[in-house]
Amino acid sequence: MHLRFRLILPLAAVLAAIMVYPLAFSGWISVHDYRLDRIDDVAFEGIGNYAFILTNPPFWNALTNTVVFVFGAVSIELALGLGLALLLRRMVHLPNTARAILLAPMFITPIAVGLMFRFLLNSEFGVIPHYLAALGIEVDWFGPDLALFSLILIDVWQWTPFMVLMFLAGLEALPKAPFEAARVDGASSWLTFRHLTLPMLRSVILVALIIRALDAFKVFEYVYAITRGGPGDSTETILFYIYKTGFRFFRLGEAASMAFVLVAVVLVLVIALYVAMRRRPGQAP
Amino acid sequence: MSGARLKTLHKSFGHQEILKGIDLTIEPGSFTVLLGPSGCGKSTTLRILAGLETQTSGEVWIGHRDVSALEPRERDVAMVFQNYALYPNMTIARNMGFGLKARKTPAAEIRTRVTEAARMLGITELLGRYPRQLSGGQQQRVAIGRAIVRQPNLFLFDEPLSNLDAKLRVEMRTELLRLHRDLAATTIYVTHDQEEAMTMADRIVVMNAGQIEQIGRPDEIYFAPVSLMVAGFVGSPAMNLIDGRISTGAVETAIGRLEAKADAPAGCGIVLGIRPDDLFFPDSLEAVDQALVLDCHVEFIELLGARGIVTLRNGDTRLRGVFEERYLGRFAEGEQVRLALSRHRLHVFDRSSGRRLALAHAAPA
């Protein structure tokens, strides 16, 4: 064998062991009735698992919850992040201190953030409901109507700084001259933002959206730390449902097939965003 | 059509004083060039006029309005930037129409004016393209087009041609002059290229270290520079500068003694300036005009085409002369040659202040 092939062998072996084998194995599991409590009695199911989950209402509920969570969280983070980045750029006093403080939530591990908000928002002894009650506002943050929305807010709290960071970098990389030309041309701030800043930030925005959306699809820690999917199944997200099916109810075959469906959904989203990013004005479609 | 006025304009960035009191009146319809070495404050002056920078003190007037505290958009000026500064995400047509759109001009009128400007600049077929699909020269035309559709009070150009290659630069120079004549718009043009300044300007403002050195027509700047800085900066090849001093009734220099009275006390150090085109053969100069006759050693001859640059040495002093092709045959590298200076073409400057000294020649013997 040629030396160059021998040189990549170790890496190929590692890759096979930690990526190819688990992926292939989970693919195999997904077409079998594989249960952790009956590991020596595994029957081939074909597309049986897929057929079952695609007609299973709790799966669709979890998927819908996840899509609502991703869409809600990422769009609020986008708007808020862009706004804050624009404000931070104009900040004259202590801009670096402000940036550092603003970035802090990003460095906390999500499970800790989940626990923190579980206490902060607890309807009986949480500090936030306590002060809201003093103002005459009674809100049950983790009640059936608001629980998913509260999880979205927690995600916004933790991950808006990431958007701010991306947009600050993007804004700083923009050429200054077109903006000066726009000032001389007489453009108002809104016109400049709408027709210059936003289009020129387009690729940064799309990259930030991809990263954040992918990450938000994996939401698990907040659900695990706070609601465990409840009340009822109102905050059951897809990853939490997969975890429950696979590791609490031991139905790994079903869980694996759901994971593959999730991969397909995410892939469609990523491809759509990627195509949008590639299609820049001024280039042949 | 408006003129503009700058009154004792000062500008500092931190502790660094960039402009040290600029007073300048710009006549309506004129083509004024701000000329100077890099860092002299010419671009800053232009940016203050546009409103992109705020002056530390002083006033800016455009027409009969004090615009010192106004935003760029309230000043009604158009500016062409060195790097074009086109909007990368807009088509050429939208680039050119953006200023009108910002002023809420009806779409039909924007279209008419953009089409008209594009026709003037010969870029009609580019209107549907994007800036990145254009060459540098085309982008510069678009930038100029974007300025002229606005029909502003003032046109400001910040070194607009310096990113273009030499041939294109000469072409665009002519084009800008033609546009200026057609539009009769007040134009202020910043450049460090003295050739650009000489060929384009009605009036040149030579700046140095945050101050105005001289204001004048191109010929005044060239033939009567008021200071050593202007003399050395304008003209290519540069003026020959030779150290000397005043003695009673004469000016002593390394290349000889001039029988002339300078407006300075004896002993004062001076610099004698001779333009490279002011070296003559004695037979082509009337005897009464000859101020000095020099025997020179010919070092090199550089042929530029119809003219040539000859590097000469007189004693320890090196001189550069520009001669037409028909005279170049008289030089041979390594040989001696006799040349004369015209008494009407000498410049004498005070060495310490750099100011020009008046020279009164003794009556010819």
Side-chain angles (χ1 to χ4, degrees):
Chain A
M1 197 171 17
H2 199 284
L3 177 69
R4 62 185 173 194
F5 293 118
R6 268 187 282 173
L7 283 175
I8 61 165
L9 260 184
L11 190 63
V14 170
L15 215 63
I18 65 168
M19 273 199 64
V20 180
Y21 171 71
L23 198 67
F25 183 60
S26 61
W28 183 82
I29 290 179
S30 77
V31 290
H32 286 81
D33 184 17
Y34 191 96
R35 294 169 188 246
L36 282 180
D37 50 353
R38 289 209 322 250
I39 207 139
D40 40 7
D41 174 23
V42 176
F44 180 68
E45 282 273 332
I47 59 160
N49 282 331
Y50 291 94
F52 172 71
I53 58 164
L54 291 176
T55 53
N56 184 22
F59 171 76
W60 287 107
N61 171 61
L63 198 61
T64 314
N65 282 345
T66 310
V67 169
V68 169
F69 177 85
V70 170
F71 191 78
V74 174
S75 46
I76 298 175
E77 283 159 22
L78 173 70
L80 219 55
L82 195 55
L84 281 172
L86 288 168
L87 287 177
L88 275 176
R89 283 257 297 170
R90 293 190 175 189
M91 203 162 164
V92 187
H93 300 292
L94 299 174
N96 294 327
T97 316
R99 284 176 197 201
I101 292 173
L102 212 75
L103 294 185
M106 228 169 80
F107 301 112
I108 307 175
T109 181
I111 194 83
V113 171
L115 287 171
M116 227 163 74
F117 275 95
R118 184 175 166 185
F119 293 118
L120 282 175
L121 293 176
N122 186 290
S123 56
E124 280 163 41
F125 35 75
V127 68
I128 294 173
H130 172 77
Y131 283 114
L132 284 179
L135 294 172
I137 304 168
E138 298 275 357
V139 186
D140 182 7
W141 290 95
F142 297 120
D145 299 331
L146 269 186
L148 190 61
F149 176 71
S150 299
L151 292 187
I152 289 176
L153 282 191
I154 294 169
D155 196 76
V156 167
W157 180 85
Q158 181 161 31
W159 293 113
T160 299
F162 171 79
M163 291 292 206
V164 173
L165 203 63
M166 292 286 283
F167 296 146
L168 271 178
L171 286 170
E172 247 135 61
L174 292 184
K176 291 201 174 52
F179 292 92
E180 293 192 330
R183 281 179 70 195
V184 177
D185 253 353
S188 60
S189 319
W190 168 246
L191 201 69
T192 309
F193 175 74
R194 170 79 191 72
H195 289 282
L196 273 184
T197 317
L198 218 46
M200 284 167 84
L201 268 187
R202 183 191 162 89
S203 22
V204 177
I205 291 176
L206 282 167
V207 168
L209 280 182
I210 290 181
I211 298 177
R212 268 313 297 143
L214 283 182
D215 213 33
F217 258 106
K218 298 189 299 187
V219 59
F220 178 81
E221 294 92 337
Y222 309 145
V223 183
Y224 184 82
I226 305 172
T227 64
R228 304 272 165 143
D233 56 5
S234 64
T235 60
E236 197 158 71
T237 61
I238 188 76
L239 229 61
F240 191 77
Y241 187 60
I242 293 175
Y243 155 79
K244 229 169 65 177
T245 310
F247 297 104
R248 298 259 290 272
F249 306 141
F250 297 158
R251 299 201 299 268
L252 270 189
E254 204 183 312
S257 62
M258 285 193 280
F260 276 99
V261 172
L262 178 63
V263 167
V265 171
V266 169
L267 212 59
V268 168
L269 179 91
V270 170
I271 290 171
L273 283 172
Y274 187 71
V275 167
M277 187 165 72
R278 288 289 299 272
R279 210 182 46 221
R280 294 173 59 201
Q283 279 175 356
Chain B
M1 190 57 46
S2 335
R5 250 192 107 178
L6 301 176
K7 293 184 189 171
T8 51
L9 207 60
H10 285 264
K11 174 72 183 174
S12 304
F13 290 108
H15 294 297
Q16 207 177 0
E17 201 178 8
I18 303 292
L19 297 180
K20 301 168 185 166
I22 300 289
D23 279 291
L24 182 63
T25 305
I26 286 149
E27 299 299 331
S30 67
F31 195 115
T32 304
V33 172
L34 304 186
L35 174 69
S38 39
C40 70
K42 56 193 189 304
S43 282
T44 309
T45 308
L46 197 74
R47 289 170 62 83
I48 290 177
L49 251 166
L52 291 172
E53 304 278 357
T54 314
Q55 65 280 11
T56 310
S57 66
E59 288 174 21
V60 181
W61 289 67
I62 294 177
H64 299 292
R65 272 197 318 157
D66 180 356
V67 298
S68 309
L70 298 186
E71 274 289 298
R73 79 177 107 116
E74 299 165 289
R75 300 190 180 197
D76 197 20
V77 298
M79 185 156 169
V80 176
F81 295 80
Q82 180 177 357
N83 51 12
Y84 324 130
L86 299 180
Y87 309 127
N89 53 304
M90 298 184 200
T91 60
I92 300 313
R94 282 186 62 210
N95 256 285
M96 289 170 65
F98 190 69
L100 295 175
K101 186 185 163 86
R103 285 174 165 69
K104 307 219 167 17
T105 314
E109 196 189 332
I110 295 182
R111 213 168 314 126
T112 323
R113 276 159 73 172
V114 167
T115 317
E116 169 62 16
R119 195 189 52 72
M120 281 176 84
L121 291 160
I123 51 172
T124 309
E125 71 284 4
L126 303 180
L127 286 178
R129 299 215 208 148
Y130 284 87
R132 79 178 75 91
Q133 300 167 318
L134 269 50
S135 70
Q138 289 171 325
Q139 292 194 32
Q140 191 53 277
R141 273 168 206 270
V142 174
I144 293 165
R146 186 170 65 181
I148 64 178
V149 292
R150 291 251 319 276
Q151 305 173 352
N153 278 327
L154 280 184
F155 281 109
L156 308 177
F157 290 89
D158 189 5
E159 311 219 14
L161 306 184
S162 54
N163 286 3
L164 303 179
D165 63 57
K167 185 160 170 273
L168 205 52
R169 207 176 311 162
V170 175
E171 269 175 47
M172 286 303 288
R173 217 152 73 185
T174 321
E175 189 126 353
L176 279 174
L177 279 177
R178 185 177 60 77
L179 274 174
H180 175 68
R181 220 179 30 235
D182 292 353
L183 302 170
T186 314
T187 304
I188 303 165
Y189 188 105
V190 162
T191 182
H192 64 267
D193 180 339
Q194 44 102 10
E195 193 179 304
E196 231 166 86
M198 296 295 286
T199 51
M200 300 177 81
D202 300 335
R203 231 165 42 122
I204 296 179
V205 178
V206 184
M207 291 183 64
N208 185 35
Q211 282 171 319
I212 292 178
E213 284 278 331
Q214 185 171 4
I215 303 176
R217 293 190 313 271
D219 58 312
E220 289 170 343
I221 301 284
Y222 189 79
F223 292 112
V226 298
S227 71
L228 206 48
M229 182 269 154
V230 178
F233 188 74
V234 175
S236 171
M239 186 187 269
N240 297 296
L241 299 172
I242 299 148
D243 278 347
R245 65 176 54 253
I246 307 275
S247 68
T248 20
V251 177
E252 307 274 1
T253 74
I255 57 167
R257 182 183 156 90
L258 286 168
E259 297 297 334
K261 244 203 187 112
D263 182 17
C268 169
I270 57 103
V271 176
L272 173 67
I274 306 159
R275 290 257 177 235
D277 15 40
D278 292 338
L279 290 169
F280 302 95
F281 283 99
D283 56 4
S284 59
L285 204 61
E286 299 263 347
V288 285
D289 289 334
Q290 290 182 10
L292 204 60
V293 174
L294 303 172
D295 285 312
C296 298
H297 175 83
V298 179
E299 290 198 322
F300 320 103
I301 304 170
E302 299 159 66
L303 184 65
L304 300 175
R307 303 180 314 151
I309 302 174
V310 182
T311 306
L312 304 151
R313 212 179 60 228
N314 174 281
D316 290 333
T317 309
R318 189 170 275 177
L319 294 167
R320 307 238 284 165
V322 172
F323 295 91
E324 284 172 40
E325 193 248 337
R326 63 192 160 114
Y327 291 115
L328 288 177
R330 298 210 206 171
F331 296 97
E333 288 182 8
E335 303 277 300
Q336 289 291 119
V337 68
R338 173 163 288 192
L339 296 168
L341 302 179
S342 162
R343 61 189 338 174
H344 306 298
R345 298 290 187 90
L346 296 176
H347 311 270
V348 177
F349 304 96
D350 185 316
R351 198 190 303 155
S352 52
S353 70
R355 293 287 110 192
R356 184 187 187 86
L357 297 175
L359 207 59
H361 290 273

